[in-house]
Amino acid sequence: MRTFAIEFMRARFALGESGAIGVTVALGIGGIGGVLVAGHLGDALIRRNVITGRVLVGGAAYLVAAIGFAPGLLVPSLFIAAPCFAVAAAGIGGANPAVDAARLDVMHAALWGRAEGVRATLRRAFEAAAPPLFAYVAILLGGNGNVASAKPSDVAGLDRALVVMLATLALAGFVLLFFATRTYARDAATAIASDDATR
């Protein structure tokens, strides 16, 4: 989505280059706000003995992102869509600190470096493959592959691809809320016990 955000904004809302960049920067600020709020909220829940607090915050953040994006992609007015996109950006940004912290909670401290190395490798590989795959899906759904011309007809497929891809955000939220919460406390306790046993 980062790759196509400016072209999408230009064509969908008839913005100039600087206007589209300005809106995208504003959404980035919303994402930073989400990072700060979600990180604080996850830690606050842990302090209140909600063991699965970080997982709950991460799952909720992904669902907020999906719910925020949906109306923003369906309405033609930037004044209505921009707040929706800001909420969605906050959700996507907010999921990161909670999920990152939860992932380390279930890993033995001696393996953090190796685990993060494997995760970073996989993440970068998927991030590199995402833009061409996303563009391919957009073309399959009615785009002509020319998003740079900033004509609404040229981003119709991109618009549809974004709607379809919301399912991945919702799926991430559901996996965290309904599956990860069942095993997280046990896995975190196992990592702590293993760490203590090897000291």
Side-chain angles (χ1 to χ4, degrees), residues 9 12 21 25 54 63-64 102 118 123 135-136 139 159 191:
M9 292 291 181
R12 186 72 153 72
I21 291 171
V25 168
R54 291 180 178 136
L63 291 180
V64 164
V118 170
R123 181 174 179 170
Y136 178 70
I139 291 169
D159 200 11

Side-chain angles (χ1 to χ4, degrees), residues 24-37 85-97:
T24 305
V25 168
L27 298 182
I29 293 170
I32 293 170
V35 167
L36 298 174
V37 170
F85 289 153
V87 168
I92 290 178
N96 289 331

Side-chain angles (χ1 to χ4, degrees), residues 1-4 123-137 165:
M1 286 186 283
R2 287 191 302 264
T3 303
F4 298 108
R123 181 174 179 170
R124 297 297 181 259
F126 283 122
E127 285 180 349
L133 177 61
F134 201 87
Y136 178 70
V137 171
M165 295 297 183

